Amino acid sequence: MNKVSKPDISVVLPVYTGMAFLQQSVESVLRQDDSEITFEFLICDDCSKDESYEFLKTLKDPRVTLYKNEQNQGLFPTLNLLIKKAKADLVHLWAQDDIMLPNCLVEMVRFHREFPEVKFSFSRLQGIDVNGNYLKRPTVFNNKTISVENHAISSLLFGSISGNIANVCLVKEACESVGYFDESMIYVGDFKMWCLLSKDAPVGMYGNILVNVRQHTGQLSRDLKASFFRMKENYEVYQCYLSTLKPELRQHLNKIIKWKVYPTYLNQYFYILKQNDLELGKRYIKELKKYDDLFLMFVKWTVVRVLRFLRLESKFYKIVFYKKLEKLKTH
């Protein structure tokens, strides 16, 4: 591939002590089909404690540009640095554990050309274990977009719609307009970014698998104390998604998540106490008070557990909340 001043897509990879799977991850990007597109591959080592940076320095491919943080910055500051360095209008986020299928980049470029109104998109992903064995295969569907309203509802009820960052493409100009990833966040800066990028534009959904995402215990998200930071940071994100909805729908969604979502944090609080981490428990309950009255949260938690035991939980949500939700949604 000849060097060009502006490639069709930029791939950005933050690296931190990831040598176990890093070579497979990097090679999967360099093996991308570039018969009809050009791409650049920007990598930043965030002060790795293993041989990651030494391996990265051996890469001689002209598509690769390597950076190194002088001090450990964390995921979102490193992503921001790389996105700002990217030359392409379209940026594919990448992760050191995962594997791109050979047609990933060309398909995402095609998708964004088909849906130019989209500011961020994601593809289906296939879970793999530490040995590369396939886990449960996801459903696939035709390429489509999801509206601002439906994306907010789905995110509030079920969490981040993409499920990962390694299957996400962003429009660089849109990232600039919303101020990039929130660097004050440790865990859910991506979830907040998806909200900001979808406030006035639909979200792109590429319906087939383009990425194999590795699931293992070494990932940042598996740390027990992450539950506290996720809960603390998620409050702001929920408010972001609620703000995108019309008032009556916003009010109804707020009621639903006070039953369906917030009491799940109470489960984690009880688990923290079970682990005898009383200091973390104090910090946790202080932040949890932002979500709802603690007594009412406990009542809802108890009712839901009883309904679950009686196998009536789904019926309860359907009758009490979901029927009205469908009526309130924009048709």
Side-chain angles (χ1 to χ4, degrees):
M1 184 193 80
N2 294 326
K3 273 196 164 183
V4 293
S5 59
K6 191 171 186 180
D8 294 301
I9 188 168
S10 300
V11 181
V12 297
L13 172 61
V15 172
Y16 177 71
T17 314
M19 196 57 216
F21 303 107
L22 181 60
Q23 184 170 352
Q24 294 178 52
S25 173
V26 167
E27 289 177 351
S28 74
V29 176
L30 297 179
R31 288 196 299 264
Q32 288 295 296
D33 176 9
D34 61 357
S35 59
E36 63 180 81
I37 64 164
T38 56
F39 71 90
E40 64 173 353
F41 191 11
L42 309 182
I43 308 172
C44 182
D45 182 84
D46 194 22
C47 299
S48 292
K49 297 180 180 179
D50 62 5
E51 301 301 311
S52 294
Y53 186 61
E54 283 65 31
F55 161 71
L56 293 171
K57 288 192 295 184
T58 68
L59 299 175
K60 303 303 180 183
D61 194 297
R63 295 169 296 185
V64 174
T65 303
L66 180 61
Y67 302 92
K68 182 176 175 59
N69 290 333
E70 293 184 4
Q71 296 179 327
N72 180 262
Q73 299 295 315
L75 175 60
F76 299 119
T78 304
L79 277 174
N80 285 342
L81 179 150
L82 291 170
I83 292 171
K84 292 173 184 178
K85 297 285 187 181
K87 296 177 182 177
D89 296 330
L90 185 62
V91 179
H92 194 296
L93 308 184
W94 192 231
Q96 64 191 22
D97 298 330
D98 304 330
I99 298 173
M100 274 190 189
L101 301 190
N103 63 332
C104 177
L105 296 183
V106 67
E107 288 298 325
M108 293 314 298
V109 171
R110 289 172 179 167
F111 181 88
H112 277 264
R113 288 172 179 170
E114 181 181 359
F115 299 99
E117 72 277 16
V118 163
K119 294 182 178 179
F120 98 90
S121 67
F122 66 96
S123 67
R124 296 270 77 191
L125 55 83
Q126 170 67 63
I128 57 175
D129 64 17
V130 291
N131 298 313
N133 299 312
Y134 293 137
L135 303 176
K136 182 179 178 181
R137 185 173 176 82
T139 57
V140 297
F141 46 80
N142 293 328
N143 296 345
K144 58 185 179 181
T145 62
I146 181 173
S147 70
V148 173
E149 182 178 90
N150 285 332
H151 177 241
I153 292 171
S154 176
S155 299
L156 286 165
L157 295 180
F158 306 110
S160 178
I161 191 170
S162 67
N164 204 273
I165 68 166
N167 57 326
V168 169
C169 274
L170 309 174
V171 174
K172 179 176 178 177
E173 185 179 17
C175 292
E176 294 172 346
S177 69
V178 300
Y180 299 97
F181 287 96
D182 187 338
E183 297 186 4
S184 69
M185 291 184 164
I186 302 173
Y187 290 95
V188 303
D190 51 346
F191 196 16
K192 180 180 178 182
M193 174 65 90
W194 311 159
C195 177
L196 297 175
L197 292 177
S198 65
K199 278 194 167 188
D200 58 0
V203 174
M205 301 173 68
Y206 184 91
N208 283 296
I209 298 166
L210 294 178
V211 171
N212 292 339
V213 173
R214 203 177 305 270
Q215 299 176 12
H216 61 90
T217 56
Q219 291 166 313
L220 179 68
S221 59
R222 300 299 182 95
D223 184 354
L224 175 63
K225 288 188 178 180
S227 62
F228 166 73
F229 290 105
R230 284 185 178 278
M231 179 272 295
K232 180 180 179 180
E233 294 175 4
N234 268 334
Y235 181 79
E236 180 181 344
V237 180
Y238 291 140
Q239 303 311 306
C240 178
Y241 281 107
L242 286 169
S243 70
T244 68
L245 300 172
K246 58 186 180 182
E248 191 174 3
L249 185 56
R250 182 190 315 141
Q251 184 179 21
H252 188 63
L253 257 296
N254 199 34
K255 289 180 182 178
I256 298 177
I257 59 179
K258 282 186 175 182
W259 276 90
K260 183 177 176 63
V261 180
Y262 297 168
T264 63
Y265 292 131
L266 209 54
N267 279 328
Q268 191 62 30
Y269 171 67
F270 293 145
Y271 182 72
I272 290 171
L273 294 183
K274 187 177 179 180
Q275 302 304 306
N276 293 317
D277 195 337
L278 300 183
E279 182 58 36
L280 181 60
K282 290 179 182 178
R283 296 169 64 195
Y284 196 99
I285 204 70
K286 180 180 178 181
E287 293 295 332
L288 195 57
K289 290 178 181 178
K290 295 178 181 178
Y291 285 86
D292 197 5
D293 178 89
L294 292 180
F295 175 75
L296 293 178
M297 187 181 293
F298 179 76
V299 170
K300 292 164 186 169
W301 177 84
T302 304
V303 170
V304 169
R305 287 178 68 87
V306 172
L307 289 169
R308 189 171 300 165
F309 176 77
L310 297 173
R311 298 183 179 179
L312 295 173
E313 183 182 9
S314 296
K315 189 174 183 180
F316 168 76
Y317 288 130
K318 182 177 181 180
I319 294 173
V320 177
F321 295 118
Y322 292 159
K323 285 186 177 181
K324 183 175 179 180
L325 176 62
E326 290 303 315
K327 293 180 180 179
L328 290 172
K329 287 170 61 176
T330 301
H331 295 287

